[in-house]
Amino acid sequence: MPLVFHFLNVGHGDCTFIEFPSGRLMMVDINNSKSLPESDVEALAENKGLSTYAFKHSSSVGYRSWEQHYQSLLVDPYDYYQANFPGQSIFRYVQTHPDMDHMSGLHRFFWQERVDLVNFWDTSHTKELDEGSFDHGKYAYVDWAVYNCLRLGVGPEKASGENGKHKVIKAGRGHSALYWNQDGIEVLSPTPELISACNECGQYNDCSYVLKFTHAGRSVILPGDAEGAAWNSILAHYGKEYLSCDVLKASHHGRMSGYHEEAVSAMRPDTVICSVGKKPSTDASDEYARVANRVLSTRYNGSIKVKIWDDGDIWIYDHSGSRIATIEG
């Protein structure tokens, strides 16, 4: 059975489903965006060599405009779950770090739709937000409130009137367990020192879970929004040779702030996948392209699927199911 990653096109945010040969289903972060912000329109129009007016009004294949085409590529995580994994429990949900573009949609997914949850991974951060923090932003306080329930092990009320329950796991570097080993998961970061530093400065990217997945001699690294401090810590602990991987999800949506030249050179990924919405002012795609054979973006390719077969072959598909790359074992 293959190991399959589904990198969803959720605009400016992250959401990844992972199907394991064991039959378990894992979910890393969530974001639900079904509209293109103006900054996305500008970036996509520039890529097409069009003015924003032409992008919004000139026809695309099957659509009245290019804007409609790219908007159609955005997916809602629950809709995607229903289409691909209906009725299946989320055996393991990982909240990489407590930023809203990685948890927008928790309320709908676990509370309203009541998708069954078995294990919830979280870090020991001390970030706090009040309801007023959401008055003028695009995110909803209810998602933050649900997150705080989930990290306490409390789920939505059942038909019996009892609260749902799940196990809360606060894993760190070097921790392991039977199910993680069976699914080929290793926690490269965070450490208590990284979490403490994030709590002290009030910025939480460097307390992101950085996870390495291994199957059939191949490996994939998912680093959340890890930045310099996290990458320095990982390099110092593991050394360069240990970090080699075949597929890397670009940290911090492909921004320069998540790009670490030494770490990327050590990982030497064949393929880099960026989960991006608006075009960052300091995009690192060119830097990744100097190391990797290809850099793929959910902005342009839609949701991307990576399938690692038991013989070590890796097949990569775009939103339509067309295979767009092969890494031979």
Side-chain angles (χ1 to χ4, degrees), residues 11 20 68 79 106 139 249:
F20 292 94
Q68 289 180 328
D79 293 343
L106 282 175
Y139 298 112
K249 182 189 163 295

Side-chain angles (χ1 to χ4, degrees), residues 35-69:
S35 62
L36 287 174
E38 191 64 24
S39 52
D40 252 33
V41 170
E42 293 170 359
L44 289 163
E46 180 183 347
N47 180 258
K48 288 288 180 186
L50 300 171
S51 67
T52 54
Y53 179 86
F55 183 81
K56 291 181 177 182
H57 298 285
S58 62
S59 62
S60 166
V61 178
Y63 293 89
R64 290 194 301 274
S65 70
W66 282 107
E67 181 181 34
Q68 289 180 328
H69 167 71

Side-chain angles (χ1 to χ4, degrees), residues 300-305 316-325:
Y300 303 111
N301 297 100
S303 295
I304 296 169
K305 184 189 295 186
I316 302 175
Y317 307 83
D318 67 8
H319 71 280
S320 69
S322 298
R323 198 195 319 177
I324 56 175

Side-chain angles (χ1 to χ4, degrees), residues 79-292:
D79 293 343
Y80 192 93
Y81 163 84
Q82 277 291 85
N84 293 275
F85 323 109
Q88 190 168 348
S89 296
I90 301 297
F91 182 78
R92 158 188 320 115
Y93 175 90
V94 176
Q95 190 64 63
T96 59
H97 65 296
D99 284 352
M100 291 307 301
D101 57 331
H102 292 253
M103 66 173 72
S104 177
L106 282 175
H107 175 250
R108 182 191 175 194
F109 198 90
F110 289 114
W111 237 253
Q112 290 184 316
E113 305 296 351
R114 298 176 184 269
V115 177
D116 185 52
L117 174 63
V118 182
N119 299 286
F120 185 85
W121 286 33
D122 188 42
T123 57
S124 300
H125 66 83
T126 57
K127 182 175 181 177
E128 295 183 3
L129 295 173
D130 58 32
E131 194 165 359
S133 304
F134 296 82
D135 286 349
H136 305 291
K138 62 180 180 179
Y139 298 112
Y141 175 71
V142 68
D143 287 318
W144 179 255
V146 163
Y147 165 61
N148 280 283
C149 289
L150 292 170
R151 72 192 306 241
L152 292 173
V154 177
E157 188 177 273
K158 296 183 177 180
S160 62
E162 297 178 339
N163 282 330
K165 295 181 180 179
H166 52 266
K167 185 175 182 179
V168 176
I169 294 173
K170 295 189 177 180
R173 177 183 299 161
H175 293 175
S176 63
L178 176 64
Y179 293 141
W180 315 353
N181 294 337
Q182 288 177 351
D183 289 338
I185 302 171
E186 184 173 3
V187 182
L188 305 183
S189 198
T191 63
E193 293 78 14
L194 286 166
I195 295 171
S196 178
C198 288
N199 287 334
E200 189 170 332
C201 73
Q203 300 293 324
Y204 297 93
N205 287 343
D206 279 320
C207 73
S208 289
Y209 274 110
V210 180
L211 303 175
K212 184 176 183 179
F213 302 82
T214 304
H215 177 68
R218 298 294 199 166
S219 59
V220 176
I221 292 180
L222 272 59
D225 280 359
E227 296 184 345
W231 288 122
N232 287 337
S233 175
I234 291 169
L235 282 165
H237 182 81
Y238 290 100
K240 295 181 179 181
E241 292 302 318
Y242 194 80
L243 296 183
S244 177
C245 69
D246 299 284
V247 177
L248 170 67
K249 182 189 163 295
S251 180
H252 208 188
H253 316 285
R255 294 178 182 173
M256 280 299 299
S257 56
Y259 178 80
H260 190 288
E261 184 174 2
E262 188 178 2
V264 174
S265 296
M267 289 184 280
R268 304 188 305 278
D270 176 274
T271 299
V272 173
I273 295 175
C274 302
S275 176
V276 291
K278 64 183 180 181
K279 182 179 180 180
S281 58
T282 54
D283 182 80
S285 294
D286 290 343
E287 283 73 14
Y288 283 111
R290 284 197 281 269
V291 177

